[in-house]
Amino acid sequence: QQDDIDNALNQIRSALELAKADVENLIDEEEKGGIYIPSIHEPSPAERKNAVVDLQLKIADCLSYKEDYDLAAEAYEKALHLHVGFRRWNRSRKSTKKYLNQLSGLPVSTSTNVEVDISNTTSLEAALRNSLADCLAHIGQPELSLKHYEASLAIKRRIGGGHPNE
């Protein structure tokens, strides 16, 4: 079973690199002055960014299932940074491309400062923070874990159901 998980991780990592390259290519075309008009069957720029976040989340979930909590925490944090970053830099393609490149070596944060813009959050952010908190608790970072649990709860209380940010 471990071999199956490792094979899945390798395939997901390959898919993630392709998805990142796709977003970067999209950004390059727009920087050249091209106008992006997706066909009916083609994903939108937002869907392409969401694919990057989703693949990073799948990597984190596989690592958590393997009980490799250090690497899982790192992967959840990357997914969280991607999700929040894509939402913040939605209007700035250059910033998005730079942001993608900066995330390649992102370590697990040891900062106890957990920033949350409660007015502009999603249920995915709450779920990512909750999963990250689980991993942080497993690796002996209870204070940081608690801050992410509290942030997740605050987001869930703020959003409730059917929030327009979703």
Side-chain angles (χ1 to χ4, degrees):
Q1 190 175 12
Q2 289 296 327
D3 287 342
D4 290 341
I5 295 170
D6 289 336
N7 288 335
L9 274 168
N10 288 333
Q11 290 178 356
I12 296 167
R13 286 180 177 126
S14 295
L16 177 60
E17 291 309 310
L18 291 172
K20 284 181 179 179
D22 182 49
V23 170
E24 289 175 2
N25 288 336
L26 176 66
I27 295 164
D28 286 342
E29 285 300 314
E30 290 179 351
E31 286 176 355
K32 292 177 186 173
I35 297 174
Y36 176 75
I37 302 173
S39 70
I40 293 173
H41 303 290
E42 190 175 355
S44 70
E47 290 170 324
R48 290 175 178 195
K49 290 177 183 180
N50 289 342
V52 172
V53 175
D54 185 55
L55 289 165
Q56 185 64 53
L57 175 58
K58 287 182 185 335
I59 290 170
D61 287 343
C62 285
L63 292 167
S64 182
Y65 182 78
K66 284 179 61 169
E67 297 181 358
D68 191 343
Y69 297 114
D70 285 312
L71 290 178
E74 182 178 328
Y76 281 123
E77 190 165 40
K78 284 181 182 180
L80 177 62
H81 284 282
L82 282 165
H83 177 66
V84 171
F86 283 156
R87 293 184 70 241
R88 283 185 185 159
W89 285 289
N90 196 29
R91 294 184 192 96
S92 174
R93 303 284 189 233
K94 289 181 183 178
S95 294
T96 300
K97 186 174 180 181
K98 183 179 178 183
Y99 195 72
L100 269 173
N101 292 332
Q102 289 174 345
L103 283 174
S104 60
L106 183 72
V108 173
S109 174
T110 56
S111 169
T112 57
N113 184 19
V114 176
E115 294 180 29
V116 180
D117 178 4
I118 200 75
S119 67
N120 191 24
T121 58
T122 65
S123 60
L124 177 58
E125 182 177 346
L128 287 167
R129 288 185 182 281
N130 193 71
S131 295
L132 174 58
D134 288 343
C135 290
L136 291 169
H138 276 92
I139 62 174
Q141 294 190 27
E143 295 86 13
L144 186 55
S145 175
L146 180 59
K147 289 186 182 286
H148 280 286
Y149 280 130
E150 289 170 344
S152 177
L153 181 60
I155 292 167
K156 289 175 184 178
R157 285 181 175 155
R158 163 72 168 80
I159 291 175
H163 194 271
N165 279 349
E166 297 302 310

